[in-house]
Amino acid sequence: MQHDSIIAREGYPFILPLAIFSVSAAVLGAVWSAMGLSCITMFVIWFFRNPERQTPDVPKMVISPADGKVIRIEDVERNDLIVGRFKKISIFMNVFNVHVNRAPYAGQVRSIVYHEGLFLSANLDKASDNNERNSVVIRTDDGRDIMAVQIAGLIARRIVCWIKEGMGVSKGERFGLIRFGSRVEVYLPSDSMVVVKVGDRVRAGETPLGGLS
């Protein structure tokens, strides 16, 4: 199924009722209520925006899977869905960012694992391990693993993943979204080059995070 509409379809269950309430309030003469509801409706429409992006066609380049701010870069050891040493890049998405996520690299989806958890503020380090999250492992053509983890936040209560295990994905392809503020983490092979730094603003599907060796 295509996910390239200008508004992500997951937004319509929120947008349509708000629009109906706004019109109803206006018809009933509740001017201030109508204005408030209209503002909320416009914000929700804007939140679920799904813009086109131009993904750089550069071999071995890894691009950001999310809009937001880089809040942590670290070397970590994993022994679960992926095994070995990895560079982890954490990106915090506030409510004003585009929340559609994109594949950081091309390959085959090796595994997708959903984890139940808490809803701590997504900018906290412990949110990485304690919050509700969805892990997507992409196996590159040369056999390396890259993992993107969608993490729910304090307000975000719904992680959406559009892809399935065994599917092939293209770099920059939309693969899901998280509603209303969250975090996405990317795990790259330990010998990868990282070109972003903490504090950088990134855009899904466009901003290079680094490159594979």
Side-chain angles (χ1 to χ4, degrees):
M1 184 177 293
Q2 295 296 314
H3 296 279
D4 55 0
S5 59
I6 192 170
I7 303 296
R9 70 173 187 270
E10 284 77 8
Y12 288 107
F14 299 92
I15 295 167
L16 294 179
L18 283 168
I20 292 170
F21 292 145
S22 299
V23 172
S24 298
V27 169
L28 294 172
V31 178
W32 290 108
S33 295
M35 290 177 62
L37 286 167
S38 295
C39 289
I40 295 172
T41 302
M42 293 304 297
F43 171 76
V44 175
I45 291 173
W46 182 71
F47 176 87
F48 282 102
R49 66 199 185 279
N50 184 20
E52 291 293 333
R53 296 283 169 84
Q54 296 296 318
T55 300
D57 185 19
V58 179
K60 297 191 175 182
M61 177 184 288
V62 180
I63 55 91
S64 177
D67 283 28
K69 180 181 179 180
V70 177
I71 59 172
R72 193 172 181 87
I73 301 172
E74 57 188 321
D75 294 314
V76 297
E77 185 86 26
R78 298 287 304 226
N79 190 29
D80 41 34
L81 295 178
I82 52 177
V83 178
R85 297 284 297 176
F86 293 86
K87 294 184 183 298
K88 184 174 80 169
I89 303 171
S90 301
I91 300 166
F92 176 68
M93 307 160 64
N94 64 38
V95 294
F96 301 107
N97 293 128
V98 173
H99 273 60
V100 174
N101 303 139
R102 294 173 178 262
Y105 206 81
Q108 185 180 48
V109 180
R110 184 171 67 79
S111 61
I112 300 175
V113 178
Y114 169 78
H115 312 261
E116 293 185 351
L118 304 177
F119 297 97
L120 304 173
S121 179
N123 61 341
L124 299 176
D125 289 338
K126 58 185 176 181
S128 179
D129 296 319
N130 296 335
N131 278 22
E132 177 178 310
R133 58 201 184 277
N134 187 62
S135 303
V136 177
V137 180
I138 298 172
R139 175 68 54 85
T140 68
D141 289 342
D142 59 356
R144 288 181 284 184
D145 288 333
I146 294 174
M147 184 166 71
V149 184
Q150 300 169 287
I151 302 173
L154 184 65
I155 303 174
R157 296 299 174 108
R158 182 73 170 92
I159 296 173
V160 180
C161 186
W162 296 323
I163 57 178
K164 298 183 183 300
E165 292 182 355
M167 290 180 57
V169 292
S170 302
K171 186 188 301 183
E173 179 180 340
R174 299 169 175 91
F175 76 86
L177 62 81
I178 317 173
R179 294 177 185 169
F180 301 114
S182 45
R183 174 174 179 155
V184 174
E185 296 177 339
V186 187
Y187 291 80
L188 307 180
S190 61
D191 58 353
S192 300
M193 175 182 63
V194 174
V195 298
V196 291
K197 62 184 184 299
V198 173
D200 283 355
R201 299 282 178 176
V202 294
R203 284 164 57 92
E206 287 188 351
T207 305
L209 296 182
L212 302 185
S213 62

